[in-house]
Amino acid sequence: MSDSIYKITEVVGTSKTSIEDAVSGAVERAAKTVHDIGWFEVTETRGHVEGGKVAHYQVTLRIGFRLQD
């Protein structure tokens, strides 16, 4: 069994619906160009308020992926 080496990249996801949708959208979009994604970590959560209601969610993610040999 060999050890793995991972690289970390940072992305920001947004959604008008929910924090979960912002996370899912960011991971799914990153997976189109970054291969072997193994994990993610939410490092920041923000939102935008209009008329006293949440109008938009924004999350910053650190995404880890395994480097190929």
Side-chain angles (χ1 to χ4, degrees):
M1 183 173 136
S2 64
D3 294 334
S4 295
I5 304 299
Y6 289 84
K7 180 160 178 64
I8 297 170
T9 190
E10 189 172 73
V11 298
V12 177
T14 63
S15 172
K16 292 181 179 179
T17 309
S18 68
I19 291 170
E20 290 83 2
D21 284 350
V23 170
S24 294
V27 170
E28 289 170 16
R29 177 60 185 87
K32 290 182 179 181
T33 56
V34 177
H35 303 289
D36 294 322
I37 292 175
W39 56 269
F40 72 89
E41 172 188 9
V42 176
T43 58
E44 293 182 64
T45 306
R46 290 174 298 284
H48 179 227
V49 177
E50 289 181 3
K53 294 185 180 182
V54 175
H56 211 100
Y57 301 90
Q58 185 179 46
V59 294
T60 302
L61 306 174
R62 288 172 24 119
I63 293 178
F65 58 96
R66 189 167 40 93
L67 295 178
Q68 299 288 326
D69 290 332

